[in-house]
Amino acid sequence: DLTIVGPEATLALGVVDAFKKEGLNIFGPDKKATQVESSKDFAKKIMAKYNIPTAAYKTFYDLESAWAYVQEQGAPIVIKEDGLKAGKGVTVASTLEQAKEALDIAFAIENNSVVIEECLFGFEFSLICLVHNETVVPLEVAQDHKCVFDGDKGPNTGGMGSYSPVKKITSEIIDEAMNEIMKPMASAMVKEGVPFTGFLYGGLMLTEKGIKTIEFNARFGDPEAQVVLPRMKNDIIDVFEACIDGTLDQIDLQFADNACVCIVLASNGYPVSYEKGFPIRGLETFKEHEGYYCFHAGTKFKDGEIVTNGGRVLGVTALGDTLKEARANAYKAVDWVDFDNKYYRHDIGKAIDEA
Ligand code: AMP
Ligand code: GLY
């Protein structure tokens, strides 16, 4: 009766357009609107046209001019391959050498283009909103940890863990993000003839010069969804249906006054190279514990068992009255499951301001 689309690649291929053509009920943006995530250049052009704050940028189609620009700008600088890269096409280069390496890799791919951006400094957070045309309703804020190693070191990943709420992000900051970024973007998309319905994810940076947009995604974040949904009091189906029917403005979203932490169990070697196909043990333990969830990411059935099938394998998630309690619960539950090459970060949700 209702299809909810998770992955960006499916949205970018136009699954929503195809379903609608057949008269099927589906939640998510159509192919054109998904460009807000699938094409960095598309998103950047709209932000520039409508004065939505974001890092200064330029798009390049060849190595020589990209490298000349990087040398002129200096490091640190951010190199982003255009198109969908599952969170892995971005290099925050602290030296020119790193920038050159990223450009070499990007332009080794035929017909590739890169967006080169000013490096923003500050506190990063994810503000995910339900959007139907110009109606924009924010969910609770979450923060994910992008880097693969403890202490936010190592290459970027799709996200190694997350937590919610994020106390540092006050209601004033949320208001500013809504008024300067999320609502203007939804309106801009309507004006540009690409109205958005679905989750619009703002990857935002609280900088010294105000809030700036790092990126938009056209879907619920992973692993942000894992920590926001368990805190939601509404029946999510009602919420999706209101969004599709255009009655989102009548929904009163309610969240519990608790906290949630998700720790991603990954395959050792992710995001570079890793093995798959290892049996996963202990999943049944979650059934016996209320307030604990194990979300599947890269898993599959094989010969009657569940085996690892990706870099990010599971999202072990727990609620608690406080962030500290939720974190302790989540790390306890990490020990319930096991598979060969299991890897995870030990400092999820340990932001200094909330310790
Ligand atoms: P994106 O895929 O655009 O979200 O980029 C992945 C990650 O790279 C972001 O979550 C940030 O941590 C980092 N990043 C991206 N763009 C910038 C920027 N302009 N300045 C600083 N960090 C950035
Ligand atoms: N965790 C970031 C994302 O889903 O893109």
Side-chain angles (χ1 to χ4, degrees), residues 8 37 86-87 124 126 128 143-146 157-162 201 215-217 219-226 312:
E8 65 272 20
E37 170 166 8
E124 191 175 340
S126 309
I128 298 154
Q143 192 189 38
D144 86 342
H145 296 256
K146 305 257 176 187
T157 69
M160 293 302 296
S162 56
Y201 168 124
E215 62 160 349
F216 288 110
N217 290 331
R219 54 179 170 80
F220 217 143
D222 171 13
E224 284 90 334
Q226 287 90 318
R312 294 192 295 164

Side-chain angles (χ1 to χ4, degrees), residues 78-350:
V78 180
I79 316 279
K80 300 186 175 186
E81 291 182 47
D82 210 14
L84 294 173
K85 294 285 172 325
K88 286 166 283 185
V90 175
T91 304
V92 181
S94 40
T95 62
L96 284 178
E97 289 69 36
Q98 281 172 4
K100 179 70 169 48
E101 198 184 327
L103 289 177
D104 284 340
I105 292 170
F107 285 111
I109 302 164
E110 235 177 287
N111 296 324
N112 210 357
S113 59
V114 298
V115 169
I116 299 179
E117 258 182 38
E118 158 200 11
C119 189
L120 301 173
F121 297 95
F123 186 84
E124 191 175 340
F125 63 101
S126 309
L127 181 61
I128 298 154
C129 297
L130 283 154
V131 175
H132 177 72
N133 297 341
E134 303 216 48
T135 307
V136 186
V137 178
L139 307 182
E140 281 282 289
V141 173
Q143 192 189 38
D144 86 342
H145 296 256
K146 305 257 176 187
C147 295
V148 71
F149 303 130
D150 284 8
D152 290 328
K153 303 245 160 45
N156 260 320
T157 69
M160 293 302 296
S162 56
Y163 65 95
S164 174
V166 185
K167 290 264 161 62
K168 192 179 168 112
I169 304 305
T170 59
S171 56
E172 289 76 34
I173 298 173
I174 294 171
D175 287 347
E176 184 185 335
M178 289 298 292
N179 294 330
E180 305 290 321
I181 296 173
M182 302 310 293
K183 286 181 187 169
M185 190 63 186
S187 302
M189 290 186 76
V190 172
K191 288 189 192 104
E192 292 294 305
V194 279
F196 192 96
T197 296
F199 284 119
L200 184 62
Y201 168 124
L204 309 177
M205 186 84 91
L206 182 60
T207 74
E208 278 174 358
K209 292 186 200 140
I211 305 168
K212 300 215 176 178
T213 314
I214 296 171
E215 62 160 349
F216 288 110
N217 290 331
R219 54 179 170 80
F220 217 143
D222 171 13
E224 284 90 334
Q226 287 90 318
V227 293
V228 172
L229 292 183
R231 302 187 54 220
M232 190 192 254
K233 289 185 180 171
N234 305 63
D235 183 330
I236 199 163
I237 300 300
D238 297 341
V239 176
F240 287 141
E241 286 189 330
C243 210
I244 294 168
D245 298 344
T247 54
L248 179 61
D249 53 345
Q250 290 160 35
I251 289 280
D252 177 23
L253 272 191
Q254 303 249 348
F255 289 87
D257 183 23
N258 57 5
C260 196
V261 170
C262 170
I263 295 147
V264 169
L265 303 189
S267 305
N268 202 13
Y270 170 79
V272 182
S273 67
Y274 50 85
E275 291 177 68
K276 304 194 255 193
F278 300 115
I280 303 171
R281 297 170 291 272
L283 290 167
E284 61 289 344
T285 316
F286 285 85
K287 286 189 195 152
E288 297 148 21
H289 293 87
E290 208 180 312
Y292 292 80
Y293 310 88
C294 189
F295 293 99
H296 288 240
T299 66
K300 70 169 183 184
F301 275 116
K302 194 183 157 206
D303 305 328
E305 332 181 81
I306 297 175
V307 300
T308 66
N309 191 42
R312 294 192 295 164
V313 177
L314 298 166
V316 171
T317 306
L319 288 166
D321 288 340
T322 61
L323 195 64
K324 207 171 166 183
E325 194 183 299
R327 183 167 64 231
N329 291 343
Y331 276 106
K332 182 175 73 187
V334 158
D335 292 333
W336 297 344
V337 268
D338 200 26
F339 53 85
D340 285 1
N341 292 359
K342 171 174 137 184
Y343 170 80
Y344 58 93
R345 276 182 58 163
H346 295 83
D347 59 348
I348 301 301
K350 242 187 181 168

Side-chain angles (χ1 to χ4, degrees), residues 52-65:
I52 295 168
T54 186
Y57 81 105
K58 248 180 138 165
T59 306
F60 291 89
Y61 302 90
D62 70 280
L63 178 61
E64 288 67 33
S65 36

